[in-house]
Structures are given as structure tokens and as C-alpha cells.
């Protein structure tokens, strides 16, 4: 209050500073704060050398759906008057891409599971053997068996064995767009084969499919089935034959499914075949 009173008396920052034994900068800050109602006045933003072309960059990023590179965009910016460095321009383009992706996200479709509703299935491979993996959503019940092919009759036999192991049939079987069950695609919708339709009708479940080239959709199958692939198909030694592989797979599933599921408890005590690609 002494500084404010001194300023009102003499009318200058330096005069008030001499009277109060402080600096004119301190007097100025206090007076400006008082004039702003007791709040610190907002600082004026510092301009950047790329503000001139920020709108141009945002337009080009939007037109190319965030795929244009700063190197390709720099000549156009130079022609529009940008005189800064390429490094600073890359910062502008990177920020424009981040804003575009944030505002134009495709949207997530989180899977909300109901007990016993969805069975996710997929094929993997390890060496010369093919691995059929199924996971019952929500409970994470695993079913893993080996085969020497991925034909339609093999897949349906695996599904029938999975239903028998489960002791019931789920409402929906969610699969990737595997060729053995896909009869065709019409308007981006998968048409199942006649054999698969008869099989689904017999067991009273609805076939469902992942969306094409859609990580959010395909990830549901690939991540759920990934439990079985990561936890059970980690080779430590090649199997002698297909029968031995299936015996071992059955033992693994019995061990894993007998433990209350969690991210830690789901890993079996003995890992079986590491190596190989899944």
C-alpha cells in the first residue's frame, strides 16, 4: 500500500521506487497488479517465426490426413514467406499432425463382455504345426489344439471340440476374416461359407467377423487369442508328433483354466514350445 500511495503521489515508477527504497520494476509490477484487480496481468504471447504459415500447414495436413512430411511441405512454406529453420518448421508440422489426429480419431469401440457371450478364435503357426486358439471372453477360458492344416473341416472340428470342452455354446463366435470360413465379401461384409452356416445353425450360435484393416476390431481377436499364443506356445523343444503336441496342449489348458484368471496367474508353470512364430 505504501508503494501504491507513493506512486499516486509522485506519478512515476522511478519516483515511487526512490521513496520506498525499491526498484522501478517492482513498482511497475505492483501497480499493474493493482490495476488488474489484484491479479497478475496476463503476459503477452511471444510470436513465433512460423505463425505466418501455420494456417497453410494445418490445411495441407488436413487434406493429406496427417500423412504429409515436413520436408515435402517446406518449399510451399518458403514460398509463403517462412524464413525460419527446417528444424523449427518440423516442430510446427509435428504439432499440426498431433492436433489433426486428436480431432479426427476413428473412435474406439471397447468390447464390453457378457459371461458366455463371445468366443474369439484364430489360427497361429509354430514350425510345421498349426495352432487353433480360442478364448471365451470375460472368463478367459482357453482352448488350444494343434493341427497339420487350417482347412474348413479342421476348423469346424476344433470348434466342436471347444464347445464340448466348454460344456456349452456361446452366443457369438468372433473370428478374423480367415479364408477357410469366408465365402466372400459383399459391401465389406463377410459372407460365411454354406458349411459354416450349417454348422452355426446346428450349434445355434451367430458367426461374427472383424472389420477389415481396422486395428480396433482385429485387436479384439488378436489380443484375446494372444493369451494362448504368448502363454502356451513358447517353444522349449519341438514336439515329436501331432498327438504329443495335443496331449501337451490339453494339459496346459487344464492347468491354466483351473486357476482364477489374472494377468499374472494366467501363465502356466511349464512353458512349452518357445521360439516359433505365432
Amino acid at each position: 500500500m505504501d508503494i501504491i500511495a507513493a506512486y499516486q503521489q509522485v506519478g512515476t515508477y522511478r519516483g515511487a521506487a526512490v521513496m520506498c527504497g525499491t526498484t522501478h520494476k517492482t513498482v511497475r509490477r505492483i501497480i499493474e497488479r493493482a490495476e488488474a484487480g489484484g491479479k497478475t496481468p496476463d503476459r503477452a504471447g511471444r510470436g513465433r517465426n512460423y505463425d505466418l504459415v501455420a494456417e497453410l500447414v494445418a490445411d495441407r495436413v488436413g487434406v493429406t490426413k496427417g500423412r504429409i512430411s515436413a520436408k515435402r511441405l517446406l518449399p510451399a512454406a518458403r514460398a509463403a514467406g517462412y524464413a525460419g529453420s527446417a528444424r523449427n518448421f518440423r516442430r510446427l508440422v509435428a504439432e499440426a499432425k498431433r492436433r489433426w489426429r486428436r480431432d479426427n480419431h476413428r473412435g474406439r469401440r471397447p468390447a464390453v463382455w457378457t459371461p458366455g457371450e463371445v468366443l474369439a478364435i484364430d489360427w497361429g503357426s509354430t514350425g510345421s504345426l498349426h495352432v487353433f486358439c480360442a478364448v471365451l471372453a470375460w472368463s478367459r477360458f482357453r482352448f488350444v489344439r494343434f493341427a497339420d492344416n487350417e482347412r474348413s473341416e479342421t476348423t469346424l472340428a476344433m470348434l466342436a471340440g471347444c464347445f464340448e470342452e466348454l460344456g456349452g455354446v456361446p452366443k457369438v463366435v468372433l473370428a478374423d476374416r480367415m479364408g477357410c470360413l469366408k465365402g466372400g465379401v459383399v459391401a465389406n461384409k463377410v459372407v460365411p461359407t454354406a458349411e459354416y452356416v450349417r454348422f452355426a445353425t446346428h450349434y445355434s450360435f451367430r458367426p461374427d467377423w472383424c472389420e477389415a484393416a481396422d486395428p480396433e476390431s482385429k485387436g479384439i481377436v488378436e489380443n484375446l487369442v494372444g493369451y494362448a499364443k504368448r502363454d502356451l506356445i513358447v517353444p522349449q523343444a519341438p514336439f515329436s508328433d501331432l498327438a504329443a503336441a495335443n496331449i501337451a496342449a490339453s494339459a496346459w489348458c487344464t492347468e491354466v483354466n483351473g486357476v482364477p484368471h489374472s494377468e499374472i496367474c494366467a501363465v502356466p508353470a511349464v512353458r512349452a514350445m518357445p521360439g516359433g512364430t505365432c
Side-chain angles (χ1 to χ4, degrees):
M1 296 301 297
D2 292 339
I3 292 176
I4 295 174
Y7 176 76
Q8 291 174 346
Q9 183 177 357
V10 300
T12 64
Y13 294 142
R14 293 184 183 275
V18 172
M19 293 177 62
C20 298
T22 184
T23 65
H24 65 282
K25 294 182 179 179
T26 301
V27 174
R28 187 190 64 186
R29 285 197 297 269
I30 292 173
I31 298 303
E32 288 178 350
R33 184 183 303 117
E35 291 176 349
K39 298 180 180 179
T40 303
D42 296 333
R43 289 188 176 183
R46 295 177 58 186
R48 298 182 181 275
N49 61 357
Y50 52 64
D51 290 342
L52 178 66
V53 294
E55 186 175 352
L56 170 67
V57 170
D59 291 342
R60 293 291 182 89
V61 168
V63 169
T64 60
K65 298 183 178 180
R67 296 183 180 276
I68 193 169
S69 66
K71 183 178 179 180
R72 179 61 60 87
L73 191 51
L74 183 58
R78 296 283 191 203
Y82 175 71
S85 66
R87 181 178 182 180
N88 212 30
F89 185 71
R90 286 196 296 270
R91 294 193 183 99
L92 170 63
V93 175
E95 179 59 30
K97 287 183 177 181
R98 279 193 295 270
R99 286 197 301 268
W100 186 89
R101 294 188 184 106
R102 183 182 63 246
D103 298 336
N104 295 272
H105 197 278
R106 289 180 301 181
R108 304 277 180 187
R109 292 182 297 283
V112 180
W113 306 118
T114 300
E117 181 181 15
V118 178
L119 179 73
I121 65 172
D122 197 9
W123 279 101
S125 62
T126 173
S128 61
L129 295 178
H130 300 269
V131 187
F132 177 84
C133 303
V135 177
L136 187 63
W138 190 84
S139 68
R140 301 183 191 174
F141 184 96
R142 281 85 153 175
F143 178 84
V144 179
R145 292 295 184 272
F146 292 89
D148 56 4
N149 64 80
E150 298 181 12
R151 291 194 293 268
S152 175
E153 58 271 20
T154 305
T155 304
L156 298 183
M158 292 291 185
L159 266 177
C162 180
F163 296 157
E164 184 177 354
E165 188 79 15
L166 288 172
V169 179
K171 182 179 179 180
V172 177
V173 173
L174 177 64
D176 200 351
R177 299 189 168 199
M178 51 181 66
C180 59
L181 302 178
K182 181 178 67 176
V185 179
V186 177
N188 201 30
K189 297 297 181 182
V190 177
V191 179
T193 62
E195 186 179 8
Y196 189 32
V197 171
R198 288 192 295 269
F199 182 86
T201 302
H202 174 75
Y203 281 99
S204 301
F205 69 84
R206 177 173 63 85
D208 197 7
W209 313 86
C210 298
E211 294 291 332
D214 182 20
E216 283 82 2
S217 172
K218 292 173 70 65
I220 293 175
V221 169
E222 293 174 354
N223 282 307
L224 282 178
V225 177
Y227 290 135
K229 290 183 177 181
R230 287 192 309 269
D231 297 346
L232 306 180
I233 312 169
V234 186
Q236 62 189 15
F239 289 115
S240 57
D241 56 28
L242 186 59
N246 281 320
I247 292 173
S250 178
W252 295 330
C253 292
T254 300
E255 178 189 349
V256 174
N257 294 330
V259 178
H261 71 72
S262 72
E263 294 299 331
I264 297 174
C265 295
V267 181
V270 178
R271 292 175 176 255
M273 309 186 32
T277 56
C278 301

